[in-house]
Amino acid sequence: LKDANAKLQQLSKRKLWKEMQAILQDIRRKGHRPNIELYMLVISTLLERRLPAAAQKVLEEMAEDDLQPNSVAYYLVINGWCEARRVDEALNLVSSMRKSGIQLTVSMFNTIIKGLGAEKRARDAMKVLRIMEKHETLKPTVITYNILMNAWSEEENVKEAWTVMGMMRKAGVAPDVVSYNTLVKAYGKLNRPDDCERVMREMVDAPLRPDEQTFGLVVKAYCEQKRMEEALSLVKRMKRYNVVPNITIFTTLMKGFAKASKPDGAAQVFEMIKEQGIEPDIASFRTLMNAWSSSDQPDRARVTLDELLEAGLQPDVEIFSILAKGYLRVREGQKAEKLLEEMKNYGIQPNVVTYTTIISAYCSKSGEMEEAMRVFQAMQNAGVRPNVFTFGTLIWGYCESMKPRKAEELLAEMERMGLEPD
RNA sequence: CCGACUUAGCAAGG
C-alpha cells in the first residue's frame, strides 16, 4: 500500500488518471483496502480532468469498502458535475445521498445554485434556495444569496437580483460588499453606469465601504459607454474612499480608451500605472499593445513589446496575436506571417487565433488569397485545427475577391471537418 | 473555533 501511495502521488502530478484507476482496481482485486487518502487522490485527479462520472464511481467504491467518504469528497463530486454543466446529475447525487442519510452541507447547495445559474436556470436556483430557507440546518448564508443574485445578474435580470436582496434581508442576513458589487455588475451589463453609481451610494449608506471591485465594475460600465471623462474622474474619486486604484482598474481604463479609439489615452494610463509604483503585468501590456494595434499602429505595439521584454516578462501567444492584428489592420500580411518565425525563437506555439489573424491579413488585400490559403495549409500541417472563424474569414476573402466557387468549396470542406457553419 | 465555496481587467475585418 505504501508503494501504491507513492506511485499514485507521482501519477497524480502528471494527471495520469487511467493508470491511477488501474492501480486502485488492482489493490481492491487483491483484497486490500485502499485508505481514504488514496481514494481522495484519485477522486481529485479525476475531477481536475473533468471526469465527474468516474469520480463518483470511486466515491461509491469507497462506500463499498465501508470507508465513509467525508462531506468534502461529496462536495467535490457535486461541484464536478456542476462545472461540467450537468447539474441534474448533481441533483441526483444529492437525492441519493439524502436517502442514504449522508450529511448534506450548505456548500453543496451553493455549488448547485451556481451550476443552475451557469445553465441559465436562475428560476430553478431560486426554488432551491427557497427550499433551503425552509430547512432547519441548511439555511442559506450570505454566500448562497450572493450566488443567486449573480445568477440573475448574468441573466440581466436586475429586478430579480433585488428580489433576492430583499429575501436575504427578510431572513436576517445582512448583504455584504459582494452583494452590492453583484448589483453594480448587473447594471453594468445593462449599460447603466448611472445606476451603478446609485447602488454604490446605497452601499455607502448601508454602511459598507466600496472596494476595488466595486470601482472596477463602475469604471468598466463607463468605459463600455465610452464615457472616458467620467471613468477617469471616478478613479480620482476613489481616493476619497481610501481605495487605491490597482492594476485591474487601470487595465479596464486602458481597454476603454482602446475601445473609444484613443490609444494615447491608454498610453497615458499605462504611465500612471508606473507612476504609482505598480509593475505592469502581462495583461496590461497586452491591453496597451491592443490599443496600438487596433488603431492601425503596429509599430507602436512593437515598441511596447520591446518594453515588455526589457521588463523581463515572457511574451506569449496572445501578445503575438495582438501584434499580428496590428499588421492585419494595415494589411501587411507578410509582416504578420513573419511573426511565426519570431514566435518559434521564443518557443511559443501559434494557435488558431494567431493563424486566423494572419489569414485575415492576407484576405484583407485583394489578390493575396493564395497566400491566405498557404497559411491555412501550414496551420493544419502544424496540427492546429481551423475553426468557424478561420473558415468565415477565408470565405469572406474569396467573396470579396469575387470567387464564390472557392468560397463554396471551403463551405463544403468545413462541413467535412465536422464544423457547423453559422 | 478556523478555514473552504460567491462579485471586477486583456487577443481573431468573419
Side-chain angles (χ1 to χ4, degrees):
Chain A
L1 274 180
K2 235 178 221 165
D3 220 38
N5 205 328
K7 210 183 275 175
L8 284 172
Q9 296 277 359
Q10 287 302 318
L11 292 171
S12 157
K13 277 190 196 118
R14 294 159 59 199
K15 312 249 154 58
L16 296 170
W17 55 275
K18 275 189 186 152
E19 288 78 353
M20 295 177 76
Q21 275 180 320
I23 292 178
L24 202 62
Q25 287 311 321
D26 196 46
I27 296 173
R28 296 184 81 227
R29 234 190 341 261
K30 286 178 180 158
H32 298 298
R33 293 275 177 90
N35 57 26
I36 293 186
E37 286 73 22
L38 280 191
Y39 276 116
M40 288 300 288
L41 198 58
V42 179
I43 289 175
S44 51
T45 307
L46 288 168
L47 289 171
E48 273 172 40
R49 311 254 41 182
R50 316 230 139 177
L51 298 164
Q56 184 169 327
K57 212 170 260 163
V58 176
L59 207 58
E60 283 156 7
E61 285 170 4
M62 254 176 112
E64 280 170 26
D65 277 359
D66 281 333
L67 286 175
Q68 200 45 255
N70 57 25
S71 57
V72 176
Y74 281 104
Y75 165 81
L76 289 173
V77 174
I78 291 169
N79 190 42
W81 281 120
C82 294
E83 284 182 349
R85 297 284 158 92
R86 307 273 299 276
V87 185
D88 289 321
E89 295 292 345
L91 287 166
N92 287 341
L93 177 54
V94 165
S95 73
S96 76
M97 286 167 69
R98 211 165 52 111
K99 278 181 205 131
S100 346
I102 295 164
Q103 174 83 57
L104 299 174
T105 68
V106 174
S107 313
M108 291 171 190
F109 287 95
N110 286 352
T111 196
I112 283 173
I113 289 175
K114 188 181 179 189
L116 287 168
E119 289 185 6
K120 298 257 178 280
R121 292 166 63 185
R123 192 64 62 194
D124 291 334
M126 192 88 130
K127 283 183 197 151
V128 172
L129 187 138
R130 289 202 194 276
I131 293 169
M132 290 173 78
E133 281 183 325
K134 288 190 195 113
H135 199 280
E136 327 234 310
T137 57
L138 292 171
K139 295 272 187 246
T141 68
V142 61
I143 292 178
T144 318
Y145 288 104
N146 288 346
I147 293 171
L148 183 55
M149 286 178 70
N150 188 53
W152 284 120
S153 149
E154 291 291 342
E155 291 187 19
E156 304 191 355
N157 192 333
V158 66
K159 187 165 164 271
E160 292 293 11
W162 279 109
T163 306
V164 176
M165 186 110 136
M167 286 165 64
M168 83 195 269
R169 286 210 175 93
K170 205 164 160 194
V173 178
D176 65 4
V177 179
V178 175
S179 323
Y180 282 96
N181 285 356
T182 305
L183 284 173
V184 172
K185 172 180 158 177
Y187 282 118
K189 277 181 90 93
L190 295 170
N191 287 321
R192 288 163 61 177
D194 305 296
D195 288 313
C196 292
E197 294 258 21
R198 211 190 69 226
V199 174
M200 213 164 82
R201 281 193 297 272
E202 220 175 285
M203 177 170 190
V204 173
D205 290 338
L208 290 165
R209 251 241 329 277
D211 63 6
E212 286 89 344
Q213 294 199 31
T214 320
F215 287 99
L217 286 159
V218 186
V219 168
K220 188 181 180 190
Y222 279 125
C223 288
E224 294 287 339
Q225 303 268 84
K226 304 186 188 178
R227 288 162 63 171
M228 298 313 296
E229 297 284 319
E230 287 148 292
L232 267 176
S233 85
L234 178 59
V235 171
K236 285 179 188 140
R237 260 192 291 149
M238 286 176 65
K239 288 170 192 131
R240 278 211 291 261
Y241 295 88
N242 280 331
V243 185
V244 182
N246 60 15
I247 186 91
T248 300
I249 290 174
F250 285 122
T251 306
T252 306
L253 268 176
M254 286 199 290
K255 170 83 174 165
F257 278 113
K259 189 184 173 93
S261 306
K262 290 180 175 162
D264 296 312
Q268 279 170 24
V269 174
F270 195 70
E271 290 310 311
M272 286 167 68
I273 294 175
K274 291 185 277 186
E275 279 164 22
Q276 303 285 316
I278 304 171
E279 302 242 324
D281 63 3
I282 186 88
S284 57
F285 272 105
R286 279 190 206 116
T287 308
L288 179 58
M289 283 181 67
N290 189 41
W292 294 130
S293 281
S294 312
S295 59
D296 311 344
Q297 301 181 77
D299 296 338
R300 306 202 73 163
R302 173 68 81 174
V303 172
T304 303
L305 171 56
D306 292 337
E307 190 180 340
L308 178 154
L309 295 168
E310 277 164 32
L313 291 173
Q314 283 295 327
D316 59 17
V317 62
E318 293 189 20
I319 291 282
F320 281 98
S321 301
I322 291 166
L323 191 49
K325 170 173 158 179
Y327 292 124
L328 152 64
R329 309 217 54 145
V330 295
R331 304 184 178 190
E332 301 241 38
Q334 309 253 348
K335 285 190 181 170
E337 188 179 355
K338 258 197 157 167
L339 292 174
L340 292 175
E341 286 173 35
E342 236 175 290
M343 292 174 75
K344 206 182 222 171
N345 294 337
Y346 285 104
I348 301 165
Q349 298 285 345
N351 63 18
V352 59
V353 177
T354 326
Y355 279 112
T356 303
T357 308
I358 297 167
I359 290 168
S360 304
Y362 281 128
C363 288
S364 68
K365 218 165 166 184
S366 51
E368 292 192 347
M369 284 310 293
E370 270 132 54
E371 307 297 310
M373 287 307 285
R374 192 174 41 68
V375 177
F376 182 59
Q377 242 340 303
M379 154 182 196
Q380 292 172 84
N381 293 343
V384 178
R385 265 200 99 204
N387 62 17
V388 183
F389 259 96
T390 320
F391 278 100
T393 303
L394 283 164
I395 290 170
W396 170 80
Y398 273 128
C399 291
E400 287 292 302
S401 46
M402 311 294 268
K403 289 186 174 156
R405 276 250 118 79
K406 292 277 192 188
E408 289 219 32
E409 278 170 28
L410 281 165
L411 199 60
E413 186 174 344
M414 180 170 182
E415 284 171 352
R416 271 202 302 279
M417 287 185 64
L419 286 172
E420 185 110 0
D422 57 7

